[in-house]
Every structure is written in structure tokens, then in C-alpha cells.
Amino acid sequence: MATTAHVQSAITRFRAIVGDDAVLSNRDEMLVYECDGFPIAKGLPTCVVFPTTTQQVADCVRVAIEFDLPIIPRGSGTGLAGSAVAYGEGVLLTTSKMTGIEFVDVKNRFAVVQAGVRNLALSDFVAATGLRFSPDPSSQRASTIGGNFSTNAGGINTLKHGVTTNHILGVEMVLADGTVYTTRIVEGDALYDGVGADLPGLLCGSEGTFGIITKLWCRLVPSPKNFRTFYAVFNSTHDACKSVSDVIAGGIVPTSMEMMDGEMIRIVEAAFHFGFPTDAQALLLLEVDGVDALLDEQMASIVEIAKANNARDITLCADPKRRVELWSARKKAFGAIGRVSHSYCTQDACVPRSKLPEVMAHVAELGKKYGIRITNVFHAGDGNIHPIILFDEDKPEEVQRTLRLSEEILEYCITVGGTITGEHGVGVEKLHLMDKMFNPATIDTFKKIKATFDPDHRINDGKHIPSDRLHIELLTPVTPGKNQAGGALVTQV
Ligand SMILES: Cc1cc2nc3c(=O)[nH]c(=O)nc-3n(C[C@H](O)[C@H](O)[C@H](O)COP(=O)(O)OP(=O)(O)OC[C@H]3O[C@@H](n4cnc5c(N)ncnc54)[C@H](O)[C@@H]3O)c2cc1C
């Protein structure tokens, strides 16, 4: 553990690089950085540093090495798996102030941005050209493109238009020794590297464990002009899930197929009054885009499928204003939960779409078994479920019950052919399940890739890939009388 004098010297050096105002080291100021969007795992960093240039990031990395401080990259901190948090000590290297949109090439449809540009800010910036950055996580107003890349974020458009990795052409990254590395050969002109392994693909989704992303070459795509949107209301979650599976089995790929369960409909309705029926058990919100002449026929087939699955009410929406409202209802769902629960955590697994009906039923049973309220809003078309677990983070026993419930949900999803994450990543939350997903040879390969980029385990160790040096435990037996909520047990090996 570093001494106070040692830490003070490091902070002075960071201040010399980024300026006094761009370093936080006071406990009260840093409290907001003690967790990301996963409130169960908390830890204070040694300091929080806000560089604005790649050079500053590289210089900060060198100082961190000199003072032997772990480095934890962070964007906006909207992550949901506890991976942008320092547990014990470390410098939180936050790229959220690296907000420059450096270059937009409309003809060749790409933009070069700094890592801290917010997702929606890029699409807003290029909107007048008729282009957009396609990945659209519901957090897109706040989350950074660097964070989206590091988690391989998905979103509502993912079903048809792909996840973040499909929209990033190249990255610049500061390595663990302070070297600036780029996957591209030439800045600006060359659109495709096309040589050797897909390096951006390898880095995408690595949850800040390989280096600090400083710049990204983002693909821009034409914003769809023609849409058909509908929502269907069901008296059973099973029927709504079966519709999702049948649409895909029928060879139709909508832009989006999102679902809310009955409880979520009531939570959203109470908060925002969108006009959804509060006695329904499920709502399917669906959109197709593409060539105008083909859309009515596609939508007619989808309506038939919904009817065959007992949809009790189907509303086709032609009004662009109402369409925006409907999607805003979906994106605001998480915000509405804050009104009904002290704390919540969002589970994230992917399952084969055909298994959705049984998976949703099983998740509800597990909620009953653990005596914990669960509500659901999710990317149904991707088979990406998000059971939202409502609990009170001030009650240690309830926190542990939430973690056990999460674990059982994820283990079950593996048994039906699913994965432990669809888009939020592994972080610290799911690390103990990696060996249930992968065999020892695969885990070993992950470790070797990490070692290639970060041989000394300096960057975000103990997250995403099991570490031989640092263990961060959340699931611990509750010690009577000791408040273990909101903390993490860190073991240095
Ligand atoms: C309300 C809400 C809705 C959400 N909806 C979605 C959704 O629809 N789809 C989805 O995929 N996710 C969603 N998320 C999760 C989250 O927004 C995404 O994971 C997002 O990509 C995180 O971006 P961030 O900038 O907040 O990153 P952070 O939370 O700060 O960091 C996330 C991870 O990326 C790493 N990282 C961040 N910046 C860098 C960098 N510059 N270099 C290296 N590593 C870095 C961190 O170390 C960490 O491992 C949602 C979250 C919330 C709170």
C-alpha cells in the first residue's frame, strides 16, 4: 500500500500533466466515482485524472508506472458490471473530457473522434449529412464511444444493424508502458486496414484491460428514412416471447424487437404516461426499416405472427412524433425504476431466441425462490434478456441474495445454450462465472492475450479476465454485525 507522501507526489505529478482542476483526490469529490451503474461493487480510487489529449494519457500512464499505481480506464461510468471502478487503490484515468470530433469524411462515411465523445453527440454532430453512428445503447446520451467500444455495446438497433464492433474501423490506444499504438496505418485517408488479424475486433469488448483507448475511427451509415413501427400487447409473457422467436424463424429481421413485462409497463406508465395498458402482461415494441415499398408487406407478416400468438391489441404507428415517443418510452424505462426501488441491478445474458418463453418463466420462478422483485425490459430480438433486480443496497443480506439470484439466472442461461453477457460485459460481477462459460484452455488464451498488451497487470487487472494477481470478490458469506453492502473484498495474490 502506497504511503501518503508517495501518493501526494504522484498527485503532484498528475497535476503537472493535466492541470490542477483535472485531478480529484479529495474523498468527498471522489465519492461519485466509487462505482459505475452496478451499485453493489464500490471502491475509492487514489485519485481521478481527466486528461484531454493522447499525450497527456501517455504521460499519466508513465507516472502511474513510476509510482506503481494501478490504472483503471473510465468513460462516463454508466457500465453495469463494476469494471470502471478502482478497488483498493489506483488512478481512475477518465477519458470523458476527451470530447473532440476531429474529422468527418462524409463521402467515405467515417469520423475520427476522441474516446470521450458521447455516443449521441456524434450522431447529432453529423445529423445534417443524413448519416449517423449506428450503435445506440439506451445510455447513449451519457455513455462515451470509448466506453461503448470497450464493452462492445449493443442497443435497440443491434438486431439489424450490429453492435459496436461492426462500426469501428480503427483505434488508437495508449499501452501499459505509455506507448501510443494505433491499429491503423495512415490517419485520415485509408478507410480499411485489411491487413492481418482484425485488431480493433480483438480490442473491442476488452473492458479497459488492454490499454486506454484515446481515439476511434467510427463508421457512419445513412440514417434510415422509411420505418414502420408497432406495438403489440399480450396477456402473457410467454406469447410475446413466442412472437419474437416466430418473427425471426419466419425470416424477417426487424430493426428492433424490444419487450417490457407487465410490471415494467406499469412502472413506465406511472412515471411518464405514454398510454400503455397497465393490465397487460407484456408489450412488444417493434420496428422495421428499409425500402419503403417492402415495409408494409413485412409488417403485415409480423402482425399475423403476433395475432397467431394471441396479441390482444396491435397498434401500428405512422405518426413520426408518436414513434419518437414510443422509443423514448423504451429508453426511459431504466430511469423510471429509480422511482420504485432504492437500488437495482440489471442482469444481462443472451439466450437462443427460441428459448425465451421458458427462460422468462424460469427467471420469474427464481425471483420467487429468492423473495426478490424482478422486472424486465430487454432486447428480445437479440435474445438479450435484462432481468432488473430490485433490492436495497443498505441491507447486506439482501445484497447477497441479489448476487446469488443473479448467479443462478446466469448459470441457468448457460445451461440452455446462452452466455453470461449480451452487451454489458463481465466486469467484476460475472468474473466467477467465466470458468463455467469457458474451458481452462480458453481462459488461458484470454490470459495470454491480456499479457501481450499488459504483461505487468497494470491496467484494470482483476476485471473481465480472471487474474492470477488480484481477486475481487462480491459474493461473500455475510458476517453478522458487519456491513458488507456496497463493498468488495479485494485480495492481492
Ligand atoms: C440507463 C442505462 C442504459 C444502458 N443501456 C445499454 C444498452 O442498451 N446497451 C449496452 O450495451 N449497454 C447499456 N448500458 C451500459 C453502459 O452504458 C455501456 O456499457 C456503455 O458502453 C459504457 O460506456 P461508458 O462511457 O459509461 O463506460 P464506463 O462505464 O466508464 O466503462 C465501461 C468499461 O469500459 C472501459 N473504458 C471506458 N472508457 C475507456 C477508454 N477510453 N479506454 C479503455 N477502456 C475504457 C472501462 O474500463 C470499463 O471496463 C446502459 C447503462 C445504463 C446506466
Side-chain angles (χ1 to χ4, degrees):
M1 183 62 73
T3 64
T4 312
H6 183 81
V7 165
Q8 276 313 322
S9 305
I11 290 171
T12 305
R13 294 282 297 284
F14 287 130
R15 291 209 157 112
I17 296 167
V18 295
D20 284 352
D21 294 346
V23 179
L24 303 178
S25 58
N26 174 301
R27 190 181 178 280
D28 292 347
E29 287 174 331
M30 293 197 300
L31 272 180
V32 72
Y33 297 93
E34 72 172 350
C35 67
D36 57 14
F38 176 59
I40 291 180
K42 290 184 176 158
L44 276 181
T46 307
C47 60
V48 188
V49 178
F50 299 91
T52 52
T53 66
T54 300
Q55 189 57 52
Q56 287 182 356
V57 173
D59 292 345
C60 288
V61 166
R62 289 198 190 91
V63 170
I65 295 170
E66 190 183 326
F67 287 85
D68 202 20
L69 285 171
I71 299 160
I72 298 95
R74 180 167 169 126
S76 291
T78 66
L80 293 170
S83 59
V85 178
Y87 301 96
E89 63 171 9
V91 49
L92 214 55
L93 213 50
T94 304
T95 49
S96 61
K97 292 202 188 326
M98 299 181 69
T99 55
I101 297 177
E102 296 187 349
F103 184 71
V104 176
D105 183 336
V106 175
K107 273 194 188 152
N108 293 305
R109 295 183 182 169
F110 73 98
V112 184
V113 303
Q114 282 190 298
V117 170
R118 286 175 301 104
N119 174 297
L120 197 57
L122 176 56
S123 287
D124 286 348
F125 189 79
V126 298
T129 67
L131 299 175
R132 69 171 183 184
F133 181 55
S134 179
D136 65 336
S138 300
S139 59
Q140 67 185 153
R141 277 180 197 286
S143 61
T144 64
I145 297 179
N148 296 164
F149 178 77
S150 302
T151 52
N152 194 13
I156 286 167
N157 287 327
T158 297
L159 178 57
K160 179 170 177 188
H161 297 293
V163 287
T164 304
T165 193
N166 305 118
H167 296 276
I168 297 295
L169 301 164
V171 297
E172 176 190 83
M173 179 169 97
V174 174
L175 297 176
D177 64 357
T179 309
V180 179
Y181 159 90
T182 168
T183 60
R184 301 191 57 80
I185 306 157
V186 193
E187 277 199 28
D189 291 341
L191 245 193
Y192 302 103
D193 297 324
V195 179
D198 174 11
L199 289 174
L202 178 67
L203 301 174
C204 188
S206 57
E207 298 183 47
T209 58
F210 292 173
I212 301 104
I213 306 293
T214 44
K215 199 191 281 193
L216 302 102
W217 282 255
C218 303
R219 185 192 300 280
L220 300 175
V221 295
S223 299
K225 290 192 180 64
N226 311 302
F227 313 94
R228 302 290 184 276
T229 311
F230 99 151
Y231 68 90
V233 173
F234 295 83
N235 285 333
S236 100
T237 319
H238 177 280
D239 288 346
C241 290
K242 176 89 174 17
S243 302
V244 170
S245 173
D246 288 353
V247 167
I248 299 292
I252 306 165
V253 183
T255 318
S256 324
M257 262 203 290
E258 299 285 311
M259 223 180 104
M260 291 186 207
D261 70 3
E263 171 130 31
M264 183 55 77
I265 296 169
R266 288 180 277 284
I267 292 173
V268 167
E269 223 11 64
F272 303 118
H273 317 295
F274 286 110
F276 299 140
T278 50
D279 61 336
Q281 291 311 311
L283 184 143
L284 187 60
L285 180 55
L286 189 151
E287 186 161 286
V288 289
D289 69 26
V291 180
D292 201 46
L294 303 177
L295 296 182
D296 285 333
E297 196 184 322
Q298 264 185 31
M299 198 43 107
S301 308
I302 292 169
V303 166
E304 281 315 305
I305 290 171
K307 280 186 184 161
N309 282 296
N310 312 313
R312 80 170 206 213
D313 190 11
I314 294 174
T315 307
L316 290 167
C317 159
D319 174 16
K321 205 167 143 233
R322 180 63 175 156
R323 172 179 172 258
V324 170
E325 257 177 33
L326 287 173
W327 287 114
S328 138
R330 164 62 183 89
K331 291 192 178 180
K332 283 180 165 171
F334 283 100
I337 298 163
R339 299 179 181 220
V340 298
S341 178
H342 185 288
S343 330
Y344 70 89
C345 75
T346 310
Q347 252 325 323
D348 164 48
C350 256
V351 295
R353 277 172 290 245
S354 60
K355 303 272 175 151
L356 274 176
E358 66 190 75
V359 169
M360 295 310 291
H362 192 74
V363 167
E365 281 308 310
L366 289 176
K368 283 186 202 143
K369 174 178 161 187
Y370 283 86
I372 292 191
R373 201 171 154 197
I374 298 180
T375 178
N376 296 276
V377 53
F378 59 105
H379 309 303
D382 302 300
N384 185 189
I385 62 165
H386 286 331
I388 300 171
I389 303 174
L390 312 185
F391 68 102
D392 183 343
E393 69 181 88
D394 290 335
K395 295 185 177 155
E397 184 277 332
E398 211 170 297
V399 170
Q400 288 299 313
R401 216 158 7 111
T402 298
L403 289 168
R404 300 251 172 241
L405 165 60
S406 299
E407 182 180 49
E408 200 166 330
I409 291 173
L410 294 172
E411 282 174 343
Y412 169 74
C413 288
I414 297 172
T415 65
V416 298
T419 74
I420 56 173
T421 172
E423 56 181 15
H424 298 164
V426 173
V428 293
E429 185 205 2
K430 300 169 183 176
L431 203 56
H432 64 295
L433 294 170
M434 284 291 273
D435 63 358
K436 301 221 158 94
M437 257 317 294
F438 299 107
N439 65 31
T442 309
I443 300 264
D444 198 42
T445 307
F446 284 140
K447 287 181 177 176
K448 283 179 183 151
I449 298 170
K450 158 89 175 157
T452 304
F453 288 97
D454 181 20
D456 299 322
H457 296 252
R458 293 189 187 282
I459 304 200
N460 223 6
D461 204 31
K463 327 275 178 64
H464 175 61
I465 296 169
S467 166
D468 299 330
R469 307 239 183 127
L470 188 74
H471 297 166
I472 299 156
E473 301 271 343
L474 301 173
L475 256 172
T476 53
V478 177
T479 313
K482 188 177 168 215
N483 189 344
Q484 287 172 280
L489 187 70
V490 181
T491 320
Q492 205 91 36
V493 184

